[in-house]
Amino acid sequence: MKKFLFVCGGTGGHIFPAVAIAESLKKMGVADITFAGRKDSMEERLVAGNWPYEYITAEPLHRGPFLKNLALPFKLSKSLVRAKSVVKKVNPDVVVATGGYVSLPIVLAAGSFGIPVYLQEQNAVAGVANKFGSRYAKTIFVTSEDAAKFFPAGRCMVFGNPVRKLPDGDSLPRPAEFAEGKKAVFIVGGSQGAAGINAKIEESIKRIAARDDVSVVWQVGVKNVDAITARVGDVPNIAIRGFLDGIYAYMKHADLIISRAGASALAEILAFGKPSILLPFPHATANHQEHNARVVEKAGACLVELDSEPNDLWNKVENLLADSDKLGSMAVAAKGLGMPDAADRIAKEILLKEGCDFFADDSQKSELTVRVSISKEDV
């Protein structure tokens, strides 16, 4: 039985794919899975309660003044010493890293010990940690051919971005805020909200309120809900919410989704096969959210509007709601890009490459057995 060490951190966009892959491996019979991350961090909060967890240290590259990075080599060396200690303690057979600067020390340590490393990159523009660590990677799982360009030729596989297990559609009843018989528009900006989206929607309130055939759920962010509600007032066809726990029900029943273009949010939108209007976060590292959105736009699954562009957002919404054929073609394109089983596919591929013939159920046994035997013959 193989031992796995996962490392992820910094943002949910790095953590959720790692957890999804780990859950798939567990479902396939892998029992020994440990996570590594920083103390008092997002990864600790999201992971440590469910998985064995080892503390490491990590230091980001500051993109501001050069002086802030003067101590970086020393700090990286210190992080690498700690990472090597963790790798020796856990003694994994396989390391899986999903990016973020937190992952780099573990990847470097694993590489120095000759332990197989697998990377997963969520964005169309690869992150620094994954690009640097790719020299040690056996395989890099990417979400598009655009991302593959950043890595060594021949070592990438396009599998989509792993998402948390999607509930069965029958278990997701239509939210009460989406009135029956009306078009449903879901505007999502995350728990913190999205200032650019909020501003454009607020400017369009009178036009939205005039549409008695449309129901809107607008997630504005916990810190913004009181102020926006006070300014906008009570609009019968708009439900303003700070945060939504059952977000999948709103995605499932939306006719159109308005969102940022972070990798995890995009993966969920595409997994549900939903048309969308994407407004990339303008300050994302290397502008990766716009690159993510342009990949989806090129496939015909979304429209894109930048925060800096004149406000045409509600015009786009109305034009799409009036064109059922366009919405339908966008939904088909989104479904084609989405891979709700990406985590399972990545987990299977890792197990195959490591010579393991574990499988989730009997229906997969023959397929995996054949592929494992082929892999062994090729070796």
Side-chain angles (χ1 to χ4, degrees):
M1 183 85 56
K2 298 282 187 181
K3 285 187 191 177
F4 278 76
L5 176 61
F6 277 76
V7 60
C8 57
T11 67
H14 294 306
I15 300 165
F16 292 131
V19 171
I21 297 168
E23 288 176 345
S24 291
L25 287 168
K26 183 177 180 180
K27 185 172 61 178
M28 294 173 192
V30 178
D32 200 334
I33 299 174
T34 300
F35 275 75
R38 299 161 301 160
K39 193 170 186 177
D40 300 323
S41 63
M42 180 180 288
E43 57 266 25
E44 182 183 18
R45 291 194 299 274
L46 294 175
V47 170
N50 300 308
W51 306 87
Y53 189 83
E54 293 291 336
Y55 294 117
I56 58 173
T57 59
E59 190 70 23
L61 172 68
H62 294 284
R63 297 180 180 274
F66 172 75
L67 290 176
K68 286 189 175 182
N69 291 308
L70 284 179
L72 188 60
F74 170 76
K75 291 178 179 179
L76 284 176
S77 296
K78 186 178 178 181
S79 296
L80 185 56
V81 169
R82 175 59 187 161
K84 286 183 175 181
S85 174
V86 167
V87 171
K88 286 180 180 178
K89 177 183 176 182
V90 176
N91 192 27
D93 299 295
V94 183
V95 167
V96 180
T98 56
Y101 68 89
V102 180
S103 69
L104 188 56
I106 291 288
V107 170
L108 296 179
S112 71
F113 292 138
I115 298 169
V117 173
Y118 293 87
L119 301 181
Q120 194 272 329
E121 174 58 54
Q122 304 87 41
N123 293 300
V125 177
V128 173
N130 273 350
K131 282 193 288 188
F132 193 80
S134 65
R135 68 188 68 185
Y136 302 105
K138 197 168 183 178
T139 301
I140 305 106
F141 299 105
V142 296
T143 58
S144 68
E145 294 293 345
D146 292 55
K149 298 172 185 175
F150 293 92
F151 298 112
R155 274 197 264 166
C156 288
M157 301 186 77
V158 180
F159 270 166
N161 198 29
V163 294
R164 294 164 286 179
K165 183 173 179 5
L166 300 181
D168 183 3
D170 294 337
S171 68
L172 296 171
R174 187 179 178 92
E177 297 97 326
F178 286 152
E180 291 290 345
K182 296 186 178 184
K183 293 288 187 181
V185 177
F186 182 37
I187 306 166
V188 56
S191 61
Q192 301 302 309
I197 295 176
N198 288 349
K200 294 194 178 202
I201 292 299
E202 193 169 341
E203 287 176 6
S204 307
I205 284 297
K206 289 183 179 179
R207 293 181 59 194
I208 300 172
R211 293 291 300 260
D212 60 5
D213 60 334
V214 175
S215 282
V216 176
V217 173
W218 178 15
Q219 185 182 338
V220 300
V222 174
K223 65 183 181 182
N224 304 314
V225 64
D226 291 339
I228 289 179
T229 300
R231 291 197 298 269
V232 169
D234 182 22
V235 183
N237 64 333
I238 302 177
I240 298 173
R241 299 288 183 265
F243 183 72
L244 295 164
D245 287 325
I247 193 170
Y248 281 165
Y250 294 90
M251 286 188 167
K252 169 72 176 177
H253 292 279
D255 294 293
L256 179 65
I257 295 174
I258 298 171
S259 175
R260 288 301 197 198
S264 291
L266 260 184
E268 291 170 342
I269 291 169
L270 297 176
F272 278 106
K274 291 298 178 178
S276 60
I277 302 175
L278 301 177
L279 291 86
F281 178 54
H283 307 298
T285 303
N287 200 27
H288 69 257
Q289 284 208 11
E290 183 175 351
H291 289 281
N292 291 347
R294 297 300 180 189
V295 170
V296 180
E297 180 185 48
K298 185 178 178 181
C302 79
L303 301 181
V304 176
E305 180 165 315
L306 304 182
D307 283 15
S308 58
E309 292 178 331
N311 187 0
D312 195 43
L313 181 54
W314 193 250
N315 284 333
K316 289 183 172 72
V317 172
E318 292 197 322
N319 289 337
L320 287 175
L321 294 181
D323 190 342
S324 57
D325 289 342
K326 177 67 172 175
L327 277 180
S329 67
M330 290 172 72
V332 170
K335 201 68 176 176
L337 288 176
M339 288 188 185
D341 62 343
D344 285 348
R345 295 175 69 178
I346 289 171
K348 289 178 194 175
E349 197 63 40
I350 294 172
L351 292 176
L352 286 167
K353 287 181 180 294
E354 294 305 312
C356 304
D357 56 354
F358 300 112
F359 42 87
D361 54 55
D362 290 339
S363 66
Q364 297 168 340
K365 183 174 182 179
S366 59
E367 175 195 352
L368 286 176
T369 301
V370 169
R371 292 185 64 188
V372 168
S373 65
I374 291 173
S375 298
K376 288 179 178 177
E377 287 174 9
D378 289 343
V379 171

